[in-house]
Amino acid sequence: MRKASRLFEIIQILRLARKPVTAATIAERLEVTVRSVYRDIAALQAMRVPIEGGRGIGYILRPGFDLPPLMFSIEEMEAIVLSLALLERTGDDELKQAAKRVGAKIAGAVPPPLRQTLDANALHAWGFAAPSASAVDLALVRRAIRDEEKLSLSYRDEAGRPTERIIRPVALIYYAETANIVAWCELRQAIRNFRSDRIEDCRPAGLWFKGEGDRLRQVWVDGWEINAAATVN
């Protein structure tokens, strides 16, 4: 986590806390060392963020300090609520936890009238969630897409035949029953879809395709548009 993100997260943790929060608790939440938390709090205090407390006591954010309120229309807030609810259906545990954190941050930052939209619990996304894939960590796949890192797959095709693939992942599509990894397959030399429920092992290959992600995504989109046009015709 970058320092700027950590500083923001520390402010959020302290702003939502009802009692002093120790550096150890913050470190556990952010998955950093206690020493890093001490340095970050010192940096925030140097920026005149009114954090009080100390080592062994815990820290609080003095009342009156807040981030600028987030301004949304009612319709925009409803779109956010429904979008966060839809993430519950992805089967991606990391995204589901992130959605809960986003909801908490927004609830703490928006003005009271808009907060009622979050609290009303009137919008729902119904349906079965995609099962969590046991052999593939979808968070790892998302990181590989962002970092443009190749993945090594042990995969079974539609006929059940085992195969080893090196892929360049460019997109992740969530369905009700599974998730599809859209990737350039180095074996087939083409864009292919890999169902998460057919993946027996997925690991970083230690190889990269830096600067190719956007181009490969465009290859995928162009192919999808051609297929869609052929279906219409």
Side-chain angles (χ1 to χ4, degrees), residues 96 161 230:
K96 289 193 288 186
R161 294 182 295 262

Side-chain angles (χ1 to χ4, degrees), residues 71-97:
M71 298 305 297
F72 298 105
S73 68
I74 292 295
E75 291 78 14
E76 289 169 341
M77 183 59 67
E78 288 178 338
I80 291 171
V81 170
L82 190 56
S83 298
L84 294 177
L86 285 169
L87 284 174
E88 290 289 329
R89 301 174 60 185
T90 63
D92 190 321
D93 292 334
E94 187 176 81
L95 280 184
K96 289 193 288 186
Q97 292 302 316

Side-chain angles (χ1 to χ4, degrees), residues 145-219:
I145 292 171
R146 290 195 302 267
D147 297 341
E148 297 185 339
E149 182 177 11
K150 297 181 183 181
L151 295 175
S152 177
L153 301 185
S154 296
Y155 188 74
R156 288 193 176 273
D157 63 18
E158 190 173 2
R161 294 182 295 262
T163 179
E164 297 292 324
R165 307 287 182 98
I166 299 293
I167 65 170
R168 305 176 191 185
V170 296
L172 188 57
I173 305 173
Y174 293 92
Y175 294 99
E177 71 281 1
T178 186
N180 272 14
I181 303 172
V182 180
W184 178 267
C185 176
E186 297 196 349
L187 177 65
R188 302 301 185 195
Q189 287 294 294
I191 292 289
R192 290 289 187 267
N193 289 298
F194 297 90
R195 289 176 57 115
S196 61
D197 54 358
R198 293 180 185 163
I199 296 174
E200 297 183 339
D201 188 38
C202 176
R203 57 201 177 278
L207 302 168
W208 312 87
F209 57 103
K210 293 292 187 182
E212 297 182 39
D214 288 341
R215 179 183 64 81
L216 291 175
R217 266 184 292 277
Q218 191 59 51
V219 171

Side-chain angles (χ1 to χ4, degrees), residues 9-72:
E9 291 291 342
I10 289 173
I11 291 174
Q12 291 287 1
I13 290 170
L14 296 180
R15 190 170 57 80
L16 298 174
R18 299 182 181 274
K19 60 182 181 179
V21 184
T22 65
T25 299
I26 297 172
E28 183 178 0
R29 290 272 299 275
L30 301 183
E31 298 182 346
V32 298
T33 65
V34 172
R35 182 173 296 181
S36 293
V37 173
Y38 288 143
R39 287 197 298 264
D40 289 342
I41 288 178
L44 288 168
Q45 290 171 329
M47 291 186 285
R48 300 184 182 277
V49 177
I51 296 175
E52 298 178 348
R55 301 186 182 192
I57 302 172
Y59 297 92
I60 61 171
L61 189 64
R62 195 166 63 234
F65 177 85
D66 209 345
L67 298 173
L70 297 176
M71 298 305 297
F72 298 105

